[in-house]
Amino acid sequence: MKRIYYILYGLLCLFITTNLQAQKETPPPGGKPKDFKLPAKKVTTLDNGLKASLVPYGAVPKVTVSLQIQTGNVHEKADEVWLADLTGNLMKEGTTSQNAQAISEAAARMGGDVNIFVGPASTTISGSVLAEYAPDLIKLMADIVQHPAFPASEVDRLKNDLQRQLKIQQSQPQSQAQAKFAAMMYPDHPYGRFFPTEDMIKSYDLAKIKSFYEQNFGAQRSRLYVVGKFDENAVNKAIKESLTGWTKGPERNIPVPKPASKQEVTTIDRPNAPQSTIIIGLPVIDPSNPDYLALSLTNDLLGGSFGSRITSNIRENKGYTYSPSSSVASRYRSATWAEQADVTTEHTEASLKEIFYEINKLQAEAPGKEELEGIKNYKAGIFVLQNSSHNGIINQLSFLDLHGLDESYLTNYVKNIYAITPEKVQEIAQKYIREEDMTLVVVGDRKKVDSQIKSFTSEVNKAQSTK
């Protein structure tokens, strides 16, 4: 009797297991992302040139405000690398009427916080608070940007912080590779100046910080974004009262680089390193080019998503690396495509061969419709998710403003993604991911790496000798 029971029990378990496997193997099809409908926005321009975009969005009683000044590392001189960061850090120390602690406490009473971030071409003061405090947050941010105290007592401490950050970043192979790649892409432009020297940081003083601020901050190169639940009349009143008196300042001026486009190979020695950090890439088109969206999708298929070809090849199939990825880094009227990976030292050459194998394969043969459809679903889905938050909408609007794009770029984004054909992806790979123009940087144990990239170096020398 027990035997019969065990047999029946076993059959039942087998049925359940088989049924569960069937369920795992046949997930329901996902819904198709809809076109993005940009929330209605109102744009006003003050007499001093400041533009403000107000976007009522969502039902949650919160608001996000972002004041973006188009200045950053791009406006540093050759001997001023990270001076923009030091300026932003000192602005965090308070205004002529309230110190950093008072600002922090004021934001906390509104149910949020305020931050300052310095990037390559923008300095952003932003915060999120409860809806009814939107006017107060705008006034607080207006005080920060117009009346920084620049306390001399904090300069040395902040310079020491930068020195520590510099040493940490310079010790990391990924940062070393990125710095070298940037220098090779943009040899005559601030984008190519990744690290300051220690002496450079030591030379910074209050006068230089104030000079950078006075030369680069002002209303006419700034944009204010207000997204969320807010009282429109109260917000407009706060903007006029607190920002109308801001000095006009310099006009928007982002120097456009002329990136280097040539085959070049460089190694940076890290004796006994168990891994090689590789970056290989080249200049590509920026978002103002009609092919940019197709290039972005091609990147996702090639190396820019977890299920991409290069990632599947050297991570899943070969096990050479854990987290490879490729990306299109876009700036105003300039962009680069690059694949980056930390690979085991002994597989440096093999990894590079597989990367080029996938590039050449995509150039030779258009992807299958099913594979491309999966990447389209991924990209369209990510786009929808990105636009489901206050910060996501602000990022999209500032992207349009920076690159001078029409709103149709956003509203037609999903439709345009699904219109890209396999043949277009192949054409994009041929046109823009050109092996003969790629720069390669390898950070690793040179005595083990140089012999592995010898063939690439020879190809470069051969190519250069024929030019």
Side-chain angles (χ1 to χ4, degrees):
M1 187 66 186
K2 277 187 176 179
R3 186 177 180 184
I4 293 174
Y5 171 79
Y6 287 139
I7 291 174
L8 291 173
Y9 180 75
L11 289 172
L12 178 62
C13 291
L14 179 62
F15 171 78
I16 293 173
T17 303
T18 304
N19 191 42
L20 288 175
Q21 286 178 338
Q23 289 178 2
K24 289 181 180 177
E25 291 168 358
T26 55
K32 197 169 184 177
K34 298 179 181 177
D35 285 336
F36 175 59
K37 186 177 181 181
L38 187 66
K41 68 178 182 359
K42 292 185 179 178
V43 180
T44 58
T45 304
L46 302 184
D47 290 342
N48 58 13
L50 175 78
K51 289 186 177 180
S53 298
L54 277 56
V55 184
Y57 178 77
V60 178
K62 291 204 70 173
V63 64
T64 299
V65 181
S66 179
L67 178 59
Q68 301 185 8
I69 305 101
Q70 289 190 341
T71 185
N73 305 107
V74 74
H75 292 126
E76 296 167 341
K77 298 172 184 171
D79 59 351
E80 293 180 345
V81 184
W82 287 13
L83 181 59
D85 301 82
L86 183 58
T87 303
N89 291 343
L90 196 57
M91 290 176 71
K92 295 177 185 176
E93 295 302 319
T95 71
T96 52
S97 60
Q98 49 190 338
N99 61 24
Q101 184 175 349
I103 290 173
S104 179
E105 290 175 352
R109 283 194 294 274
M110 301 178 204
D113 54 11
V114 175
N115 298 293
I116 299 178
F117 173 77
V118 177
S122 69
T123 297
T124 302
I125 304 173
S126 64
S128 295
V129 297
L130 297 173
E132 62 267 34
Y133 294 112
D136 299 305
L137 178 61
I138 291 168
K139 291 176 182 175
L140 182 63
M141 291 165 59
D143 187 31
I144 293 171
V145 77
Q146 293 176 87
H147 311 116
F150 288 139
S153 58
E154 305 302 321
V155 173
D156 285 345
R157 175 178 62 82
L158 295 175
K159 286 167 60 177
N160 289 337
D161 287 345
L162 288 185
Q163 295 280 15
R164 281 192 289 271
Q165 291 176 31
L166 177 63
K167 288 181 179 177
I168 291 171
Q169 290 191 33
Q170 286 183 323
S171 69
Q172 297 170 339
Q174 295 83 6
S175 296
Q176 292 175 354
Q178 289 169 1
K180 189 62 181 177
F181 184 74
M184 295 169 77
M185 285 289 100
Y186 300 110
D188 302 313
H189 192 274
Y191 291 153
R193 299 194 285 264
F194 206 81
F195 291 133
T197 64
E198 292 189 19
D199 286 342
M200 207 180 283
I201 294 177
K202 287 178 184 175
S203 73
Y204 299 156
D205 55 21
L206 195 57
K208 287 189 176 181
I209 294 169
K210 287 184 175 180
S211 176
F212 184 87
Y213 171 84
E214 290 165 0
Q215 291 177 27
N216 295 295
F217 280 70
Q220 67 174 337
R221 62 167 53 173
S222 301
R223 191 105 186 200
L224 183 73
Y225 301 94
V226 183
V227 177
K229 293 275 286 184
F230 55 84
D231 181 322
E232 183 180 327
N233 291 332
V235 163
N236 276 323
K237 183 180 178 186
I239 292 172
K240 290 177 182 175
E241 287 181 353
S242 61
L243 287 163
T244 298
W246 189 11
T247 180
K248 199 170 183 179
E251 294 181 353
R252 167 177 145 152
N253 177 26
I254 301 176
V256 177
K258 294 181 180 178
S261 181
K262 63 179 181 179
Q263 274 194 327
E264 198 166 358
V265 177
T266 295
T267 58
I268 298 175
D269 194 20
R270 282 179 65 88
N272 303 316
Q275 290 186 324
S276 296
T277 297
I278 59 177
I279 296 183
I280 184 158
L282 75 169
V284 291
I285 52 175
D286 69 89
S288 66
N289 189 299
D291 279 345
Y292 182 80
L293 195 59
L295 173 65
S296 179
L297 182 72
T298 302
N299 169 66
D300 289 335
L301 185 144
L302 187 60
S305 64
F306 195 72
S308 65
R309 291 185 175 188
I310 294 175
T311 300
S312 297
N313 184 329
I314 63 176
R315 183 187 189 278
E316 303 298 329
N317 299 337
K318 305 294 193 307
Y320 296 156
T321 177
Y322 183 72
S323 56
S325 67
S326 69
S327 61
V328 179
S330 60
R331 299 186 174 93
Y332 179 67
R333 298 296 180 265
S334 177
T336 56
W337 176 88
E339 169 75 31
Q340 180 169 353
D342 297 323
V343 303
T344 47
T345 299
E346 62 269 30
H347 295 123
T348 303
E349 180 181 17
S351 299
L352 288 168
K353 283 184 175 178
E354 295 302 328
I355 291 170
F356 283 120
Y357 166 78
E358 296 295 350
I359 293 172
N360 294 332
K361 181 181 175 183
L362 190 58
Q363 291 172 335
E365 182 181 341
K369 288 186 178 178
E370 186 176 347
E371 179 190 17
L372 186 58
E373 196 67 18
I375 293 296
K376 289 178 180 178
N377 290 339
Y378 162 79
K379 193 165 190 66
I382 291 292
F383 177 74
V384 172
L385 289 174
Q386 286 174 336
N387 298 327
S388 61
S389 68
H390 295 176
N391 282 321
I393 292 175
I394 290 173
N395 289 339
Q396 296 289 9
L397 293 178
S398 63
F399 182 83
L400 296 184
D401 290 337
L402 174 63
H403 297 287
L405 302 176
D406 188 80
E407 288 183 7
S408 61
Y409 179 87
L410 296 180
T411 53
N412 294 333
Y413 188 96
V414 172
K415 181 175 64 179
N416 288 339
I417 282 292
Y418 281 106
I420 297 170
T421 64
E423 290 73 25
K424 183 66 177 180
V425 171
Q426 181 186 14
E427 176 196 325
I428 292 291
Q430 294 170 344
K431 194 173 179 181
Y432 299 112
I433 316 295
R434 304 176 307 276
E435 179 181 343
E436 64 272 21
D437 290 328
M438 287 206 188
T439 292
L440 169 64
V441 176
V442 181
V443 181
D445 189 339
R446 180 169 282 163
K447 65 179 182 296
K448 296 180 181 177
V449 167
D450 277 354
S451 59
Q452 296 190 59
I453 63 171
K454 191 175 180 180
S455 60
F456 299 98
T457 309
S458 301
E459 288 298 318
V460 171
N461 292 336
K462 190 191 305 180
Q464 291 178 344
S465 66
T466 58
K467 288 184 178 178

